[in-house]
Amino acid sequence: SYELTQPSSVSVSPGQTARITCSGDVLAKKYGRWFQQKPGQAPVLVIYKDSERPSGIPERFSGSSSGTAVTLTISGAQVDDEADYYCYSAPDNNPVVFGGGTKLTVL
Amino acid sequence: QLQLQESGPGLVKPSETLSLTCTVSGGSISSSYYWGWIRQPPGKGLEWIGSIYYSGSAYYNPSLKSRVTISVDSSKNHFSLKLSSVTAADTAVYSCAGFCSGGLCLDYWGQGALVTVSS
């Protein structure tokens, strides 16, 4: 079965660039997505189709893909960006696969 | 823009059946999406439970398959989850989601609902 691996935590100072990489064989064939989750709130999709940003998501959020990995980059991270970030892949007619989540700390 | 909302009991007794419904608004459930249930036990990672197309074609996590049924009701624009013979290990936040077929458009997620299994 497919698995996705991402770091459990990333820490940056405000204004710095945060990068979270997610790796797994499924990403070589299927798009990666990222969502942000804050305590008690619904997940918010921040990247889909590896690098597309939904409307309303700040431009400091970007995504990239290379081989079996996708990377979420937050350029000029803000305190409000502190959250858990999950990568996942949802190929049609196949299981949805999630990474373990990354806790981003901005302080 | 789609909105999804979970509903159902927040407390279920051991050995009984957990039942949740996800109501889709802002669009038709009979669209280029497929619909899924995901859960997250306290302090643990996300687990995909299963997914269904509006046609009714469903597929499940093999580890839960013997206890799970997901169904869709197009007339009510909602889909449902039933998980039988629950134990304390099934205590989790249960979320519904709409996944864009082909991955070329946005996915949408519900808020999530905590279901506790306890007598």
Side-chain angles (χ1 to χ4, degrees):
Chain A
S1 63
Y2 289 123
E3 294 181 353
L4 294 177
T5 301
Q6 55 181 120
S8 59
S9 64
V10 168
S11 182
V12 297
S13 299
Q16 289 189 327
T17 296
R19 293 185 180 86
I20 304 171
T21 296
C22 172
S23 60
D25 290 342
V26 65
L27 297 174
K29 296 172 282 189
K30 301 297 180 181
Y31 291 119
R33 289 113 143 168
W34 293 91
F35 72 74
Q36 174 195 71
Q37 188 167 36
K38 297 181 179 181
Q41 298 184 20
V44 175
L45 189 73
V46 294
I47 294 289
Y48 68 102
K49 200 183 168 188
D50 289 346
S51 59
E52 296 292 318
R53 187 178 58 248
S55 62
I57 300 301
E59 290 184 7
R60 63 181 179 274
F61 288 86
S62 63
S64 61
S65 172
S66 179
T68 59
V70 291
T71 298
L72 172 68
T73 300
I74 308 172
S75 304
Q78 299 183 4
V79 173
D80 188 54
D81 299 330
E82 274 205 355
D84 293 329
Y85 291 86
Y86 292 87
C87 63
Y88 69 101
S89 181
D92 291 29
N93 296 305
N94 280 283
V96 179
V97 186
F98 295 98
T102 298
K103 181 177 182 60
L104 175 66
T105 301
V106 183
L107 54 73
Chain B
Q1 179 161 322
L2 298 178
Q3 293 184 324
L4 284 72
Q5 180 66 56
E6 304 90 351
S7 59
L11 181 64
V12 182
K13 290 182 167 55
S15 80
E16 295 190 343
T17 296
L18 178 159
S19 296
L20 292 172
T21 294
C22 181
T23 300
V24 179
S25 58
S28 173
I29 202 167
S30 305
S31 62
S32 57
Y33 278 78
Y34 59 99
W35 311 97
W37 287 98
I38 299 91
R39 71 179 184 178
Q40 186 170 27
K44 296 188 178 181
L46 295 162
E47 180 180 33
W48 170 74
I49 299 170
S51 299
I52 191 166
Y53 287 84
Y54 77 89
S55 63
S57 174
Y59 49 107
Y60 304 121
N61 186 325
S63 69
L64 298 169
K65 186 175 182 178
S66 63
R67 298 193 292 131
V68 174
T69 301
I70 296 176
S71 59
V72 62
D73 188 334
S74 299
S75 66
K76 296 181 179 178
N77 227 42
H78 75 207
F79 61 103
S80 300
L81 167 70
K82 291 188 184 300
L83 179 66
S84 63
S85 305
V86 297
T87 69
D90 295 309
T91 294
V93 173
Y94 287 76
S95 298
C96 60
F99 297 107
C100 175
S101 184
L104 302 178
C105 51
L106 304 185
D107 298 336
Y108 293 92
W109 289 76
Q111 173 88 17
L114 174 63
V115 179
T116 301
V117 179
S118 175
S119 55

